[in-house]
Amino acid sequence: MIAFAAGWLLLWLLRRAVGGHQVTAEREFRWPLRIVLAFLVYQLAVPALGLPEEARRISTGATGVLLALAVMWGGWKLIDTFGTSAMRHAQARAGTMDEIVVSLL
């Protein structure tokens, strides 16, 4: 529940920063963000859960790997979203410099 609430808040802040309602980009980034936040909350809660040492040893490694994969997935979606936005902005402008930037991106 904490991850869903924090994810909603972060998505709202990102929507405000981008300056509009980006439904597609938000939908693609929602689940990676929620997964990352859920694993971060779990990592912070592990000492308070009182798990046995064997369970903590296994869950810490597995959670770390899954957290890394979720961060990579979310980073990929962010790069894809901002790249698409930059391409649209560059294509809307006229001039040779933007065409060079678009071809490099």
Side-chain angles (χ1 to χ4, degrees):
M1 295 303 285
I2 293 170
F4 273 76
W8 179 84
L9 178 66
L10 286 174
L11 287 172
W12 180 79
L13 290 172
L14 282 173
R15 189 181 316 126
R16 301 272 303 189
V18 171
H21 190 71
Q22 303 262 339
V23 176
T24 305
E26 183 178 329
R27 192 177 310 124
E28 290 179 355
F29 187 64
R30 184 180 299 146
W31 279 106
L33 179 65
R34 286 178 181 166
I35 292 170
V36 166
L37 292 172
F39 283 125
L40 287 176
V41 168
Y42 177 75
Q43 287 285 0
L44 294 174
V46 164
L49 291 176
L51 295 173
E53 180 65 32
E54 187 68 24
R56 271 188 297 177
R57 187 169 55 90
I58 293 170
S59 73
T60 301
T63 304
V65 170
L66 292 173
L67 179 63
L69 290 172
V71 167
M72 286 188 296
W73 183 25
W76 179 264
K77 291 298 181 182
L78 272 180
I79 290 170
D80 189 38
T81 300
F82 287 123
T84 303
S85 176
M87 290 287 274
R88 268 186 285 167
H89 179 69
Q91 289 172 348
R93 295 183 53 157
T96 58
M97 186 56 149
D98 284 339
E99 293 169 6
I100 293 171
V101 173
V102 168
S103 68
L104 289 175
L105 288 175

